[in-house]
Amino acid sequence: MTTLLLHHADVLLTMDAARREIADGAVLIRDGVIETVGTTDELAALCAHAGVAPDETIELRGHVLMPGLVNTHHHMYQSLTRAMPAAQDAELFDWLRALYPVWAGLTPEMIHVSTQTAMAELIRSGCTTSSDHLYIYPNGSRLDDSIAAAQEIGMRFTACRGSMSVGQSKGGLPPDEVVEREDAILTDTRRLIETWHDPRRHSMLHVAVAPCSPFSVSRELMRESAELARHYGVRLHTHLAENDKDISYSREVFGMTPAEYAESLGWTGDDVWHAHCVKLDAPGIALFARSGTGVAHCPCSNMRLASGIAPIPQMRAAGVPVGLGVDGSASNDGAHMLGEARQAMLLARVGHGPAALTAREALELATLGGARVLGRDDIGAIAPGMSADCVAFNTGGVSLAGGAVHDPVAALLFCTPPPVSLSVINGRVVVREGQLTTIDLPRVLERHNRFALALAAGHA
Ligand SMILES: [Zn+2]
């Protein structure tokens, strides 16, 4: 039994049912689970009364303490191909065409080191749970390479077994050499779920079934993936309705909108989440709300690729579950989760007016929203019985000066979002005083950048 006390946080943003914000807040964690939440005085009295002396105590004066942020959409291997000149100024389909041949050179080591790099960046930005959508498996790469990286760095993880099966010769977008056979995809997906998926409360690892997109796999694979996921009780994920070309492709090839196509294949329900949905129409929003189908909103990627402004206020009003995703890494090309919440707030205002999304609503999307989209009721809030995923931001730096004194919570988004000073994941201190404790980050980055150059050179 180990206990960790976090106390004297200037503000504890709980995201609990009452959305309490506790001044001089404290949290007692026992064996990876939140036991008690309250003011520092209340917890001190409780500990004294029960004769509990925490194994470790961390003081958080000058900090906002909040639930760890949840990233619902990402492609971590793309950290190796950020800002590549050939793909800097393209929309989605041209961006993909420029990068597919480069990604064909990926190796298992590259997947491993790029996943660690992406996770380090996410963790430093306040993220404690992430999904990753790996849909390209060249040269013996496996989803196991990502899973090993997550376990080493200590991040809570939803590993999505992506896939592509319709190459250019069959009318799809990816080149033939990066697609897989559909029977092999389904066999490997079964193996991964049986080997790795842990459905228990406080699980550190989920596996989801995730064909890449309607324009890179067949109708049959979409349908069989849904059946397979439901057989095992795991979640389904893909890209949907990302931009206007995506909509035209769906109408021309399937004779339906993306939402209608998804519904026709069993790809709606409270066990499904779709990335983007920038072009989800009113009947699509109503369908998603009715069926509990989730959306991973990726504002930076949508701006980067000029995809458009997702109808997030309409989705929220209708009751669609919405979380945030940094997407990328090569279509963002940053993976700052608190920054993504800031961009969600700003982009909603560009599209829908100044009252479209408040700072606290954006933080709710980044915590409780993401938890719901990933099918979890044990993360996203600081409350008794929840997994102990907590992050603290120092509000004393120059970027928050003159802002945090008025409203430290809102200042985290209205001002330049700072890096975390503390990150606790599943009760384990993963960032202490701004430094990752679980991996040797400079060494990882050195290898990562060496691989990035080799990957680009191999293509050239
Ligand atoms: Zn994506």
Side-chain angles (χ1 to χ4, degrees):
M1 297 259 276
T2 58
T3 47
L4 170 64
L5 176 68
L6 311 177
H7 70 170
H8 287 305
D10 285 3
V11 182
L12 167 53
L13 177 71
T14 62
M15 287 292 169
D16 66 6
R19 302 292 187 273
R20 283 185 305 159
E21 295 182 14
I22 302 171
D24 196 27
V27 180
L28 181 66
I29 294 163
R30 184 185 300 273
D31 292 336
V33 178
I34 294 169
E35 186 167 276
T36 318
V37 179
T39 65
T40 298
D41 285 348
E42 284 168 354
L43 263 66
L46 273 169
C47 286
H49 183 71
V52 173
D55 297 310
E56 183 178 5
T57 299
I58 298 176
E59 196 221 280
L60 292 169
R61 284 194 176 87
H63 288 75
V64 171
L65 177 62
M66 67 167 75
L69 308 180
V70 179
N71 178 33
T72 61
H73 186 66
H74 207 8
H75 312 286
M76 298 191 187
Y77 73 90
Q78 293 176 9
S79 292
L80 293 157
T81 58
R82 297 205 264 197
M84 285 191 75
Q88 279 179 12
D89 303 318
E91 59 75 53
L92 175 67
F93 284 15
D94 290 335
W95 176 87
L96 282 168
R97 283 192 195 98
L99 289 171
Y100 281 139
V102 183
W103 297 336
L106 285 165
T107 65
E109 259 192 308
M110 289 180 187
I111 300 282
H112 182 264
V113 74
S114 57
T115 302
Q116 284 209 330
T117 300
M119 287 186 167
E121 187 181 13
L122 282 169
I123 288 171
R124 283 167 49 84
S125 74
C127 184
T128 53
T129 297
S130 186
S131 65
D132 186 44
H133 190 185
L134 181 62
Y135 54 80
I136 188 163
Y137 295 91
N139 309 309
S141 300
R142 302 191 308 166
L143 190 60
D144 310 62
D145 304 319
S146 305
I147 290 169
Q151 291 175 333
E152 287 157 21
I153 204 167
M155 187 168 218
R156 203 179 296 279
F157 192 32
T158 296
C160 303
R161 206 305 179 180
S163 53
M164 298 193 292
S165 64
V166 179
Q168 275 162 5
S169 64
K170 290 183 189 157
L173 200 66
D176 288 352
E177 71 263 26
V178 296
V179 305
E180 296 174 273
R181 281 193 13 222
E182 298 198 343
D183 56 345
I185 291 167
L186 292 167
T187 300
D188 191 49
T189 306
R190 272 187 219 100
R191 175 189 70 81
L192 287 158
I193 296 168
E194 288 175 6
T195 307
W196 294 114
H197 180 69
D198 176 3
R200 292 171 298 178
R201 195 168 167 81
H202 312 303
S203 166
M204 289 294 284
L205 182 57
H206 284 179
V207 174
V209 183
C212 185
S213 63
F215 51 82
S216 54
V217 302
S218 73
R219 211 181 284 253
E220 291 68 38
L221 186 67
M222 290 292 287
R223 204 177 275 124
E224 284 172 34
S225 294
E227 280 169 17
L228 187 149
R230 291 191 172 117
H231 170 75
Y232 284 102
V234 304
R235 299 181 77 71
L236 284 161
H237 180 48
T238 193
H239 295 91
L240 203 77
E242 183 164 347
N243 68 7
D244 288 329
K245 282 195 183 174
D246 200 347
I247 304 295
S248 320
Y249 182 94
S250 185
R251 286 202 181 279
E252 279 164 30
V253 178
F254 310 125
M256 292 181 245
T257 67
E260 289 165 349
Y261 183 62
E263 188 183 28
S264 75
L265 299 169
W267 273 77
T268 49
D270 62 6
D271 55 354
V272 183
W273 86 105
H274 294 287
H276 303 300
C277 301
V278 173
K279 300 292 176 181
L280 198 64
D281 57 7
I285 292 173
L287 167 66
F288 275 36
R290 209 162 55 234
S291 56
T293 309
V295 169
H297 172 45
C298 308
C300 283
S301 172
N302 298 159
M303 288 187 273
R304 198 302 197 174
L305 297 172
S307 300
I309 304 173
I312 299 303
Q314 292 88 328
M315 290 181 194
R316 294 182 72 239
V320 175
V322 179
L324 298 183
V326 297
D327 199 14
S329 304
S331 67
N332 180 329
D333 305 351
H336 198 296
M337 202 51 219
L338 194 60
E340 203 67 32
R342 169 178 162 83
Q343 297 295 356
M345 177 180 82
L346 298 180
L347 186 60
R349 292 169 182 216
V350 175
H352 313 286
L357 200 67
T358 67
R360 284 171 172 78
E361 286 166 348
L363 286 171
E364 188 165 322
L365 293 182
T367 52
L368 290 170
R372 187 170 169 205
V373 163
L374 294 186
R376 304 198 61 134
D377 61 5
D378 55 355
I379 57 171
I382 294 182
M386 300 294 276
S387 301
D389 292 359
C390 312
V391 294
F393 295 94
N394 186 338
T395 57
V398 67
S399 74
L400 273 65
V405 290
H406 304 300
D407 184 343
V409 172
L412 289 172
L413 296 201
F414 277 95
C415 306
T416 305
V420 286
S421 46
L422 174 77
S423 176
V424 175
I425 306 179
N426 210 39
R428 177 186 187 194
V429 178
V430 170
V431 174
R432 189 187 295 277
E433 293 174 5
Q435 300 300 315
L436 269 167
T437 62
T438 49
I439 61 165
D440 180 353
L441 187 58
R443 189 168 160 270
V444 169
L445 295 183
E446 188 273 321
R447 289 183 67 223
H448 181 263
N449 291 343
R450 207 154 23 83
F451 281 134
L453 286 173
L455 189 61
H459 170 58

